[in-house]
Amino acid sequence: MVNETEIRETLVEYSREAVQRGLSGGTAGNMSMRFGDRMLITPSGIAPDIMRPDQIAEVDFDGRFDGDWKPSSEWALHAKLYKTRPEAQAIVHAHPDYCVAISCMRQALPSFHYMVAAYGGNEVPCSPYRLFGSVDLADAVTQTMGERYTACLIANHGMIAIGDTLRKAFTRTEGLETLARQYYLARTMGEISLLDDTEMEEVHGAYKSYRYGEASRSAR
């Protein structure tokens, strides 16, 4: 079982990695990991390059926190997802360029590529616009993701992804930004031919058969 020190160090590590990979910049974006019936979340207003593990905030799902460091302004968004998605052990909220650009269209990322299915459905939905840091935003995102989707765009804002580990949530974030960039490029070239529901159902079936996303095991 991962201990508190390891969680804090991991959150700092991945926060810095997000900036290095262009998934967020400055103090934008936030990450958290479930910690019993609470969560550990990146602090408000501290850039990842100077963030320390002791600055990670321990927060109740009602917003009460311990220590001197104020949690991210999006703590309610994380808390609501932990309460409604018990399988979620980690959350990444980021502002990568292409996800942000598509979110400003207030449209879902459609089935232009089979890997859209990796996020739970035949599209990656976009939640309605709500004020950042608000309970309304937390409610809107939670309702949009429901019990099915592992990520969504957030209108005029960014994106969010959950995972059973922080690595998984981070990988989903990076993968969604790749899909968003590819969708943007495809749209600049002309009309896009989308996969239909039957074709996407085949993809979902193949993912289940191949247990897509799980580490391969040696036959020996």
Side-chain angles (χ1 to χ4, degrees):
M1 183 176 180
V2 180
N3 63 40
E4 180 177 351
T5 298
E6 290 174 327
I7 292 175
R8 290 175 177 274
E9 292 173 348
T10 299
L11 285 167
V12 172
E13 174 188 351
Y14 276 94
S15 295
R16 292 174 178 170
E17 190 72 15
V19 173
Q20 292 171 3
R21 298 195 187 192
L23 299 176
S24 284
T27 60
N30 33 79
M31 300 183 188
S32 69
M33 293 179 68
R34 192 188 292 271
F35 186 58
D37 59 358
R38 311 184 86 195
M39 62 180 169
L40 291 170
I41 188 169
T42 50
S44 177
I46 300 178
D49 63 330
I50 60 171
M51 188 185 299
R52 303 191 311 268
D54 65 283
Q55 294 171 323
I56 299 296
E58 184 176 345
V59 189
D60 285 335
F61 293 154
D62 63 4
R64 291 178 294 179
F65 65 95
D66 297 329
D68 299 327
W69 304 102
K70 186 178 179 181
S72 165
S73 61
E74 299 290 10
W75 68 265
L77 175 56
H78 292 246
K80 189 66 178 285
L81 281 170
Y82 285 128
K83 287 190 284 187
T84 59
R85 297 292 292 268
E87 78 277 20
Q89 297 298 314
I91 296 171
V92 174
H93 167 48
H95 300 173
D97 291 343
Y98 289 90
C99 285
V100 169
I102 294 174
S103 81
C104 292
M105 300 166 62
R106 301 190 181 186
Q107 296 177 3
L109 186 67
S111 56
F112 80 103
H113 191 286
Y114 77 88
M115 290 191 73
V116 167
Y119 293 88
N122 292 355
E123 63 179 17
V124 178
C126 182
S127 70
Y129 174 77
R130 299 290 187 270
L131 180 66
F132 76 93
S134 67
V135 173
D136 285 344
L137 177 63
D139 290 342
V141 169
T142 301
Q143 291 169 12
T144 297
M145 291 181 67
E147 298 180 355
R148 182 177 189 181
Y149 295 102
T150 55
C152 78
L153 301 174
I154 304 173
N156 304 90
H157 189 145
M159 57 72 62
I160 194 163
I162 64 173
D164 56 1
T165 64
L166 188 57
R167 174 188 284 273
K168 186 64 175 178
F170 188 91
T171 298
R172 284 176 172 151
T173 298
E174 194 167 37
L176 184 56
E177 174 65 355
T178 297
L179 286 171
R181 182 174 66 252
Q182 292 166 343
Y183 180 61
Y184 165 82
L185 291 171
R187 285 192 59 151
T188 67
M189 298 173 68
E191 184 177 355
I192 298 175
S193 297
L194 300 179
L195 300 177
D196 62 29
D197 288 347
T198 299
E199 290 167 328
M200 288 298 284
E201 191 60 34
E202 291 176 342
V203 175
H204 287 296
Y207 273 181
K208 291 178 182 177
S209 297
Y210 296 130
R211 301 177 72 178
Y212 181 83
E214 295 185 15
S216 60
R217 296 179 181 179
S218 170
R220 293 182 293 177

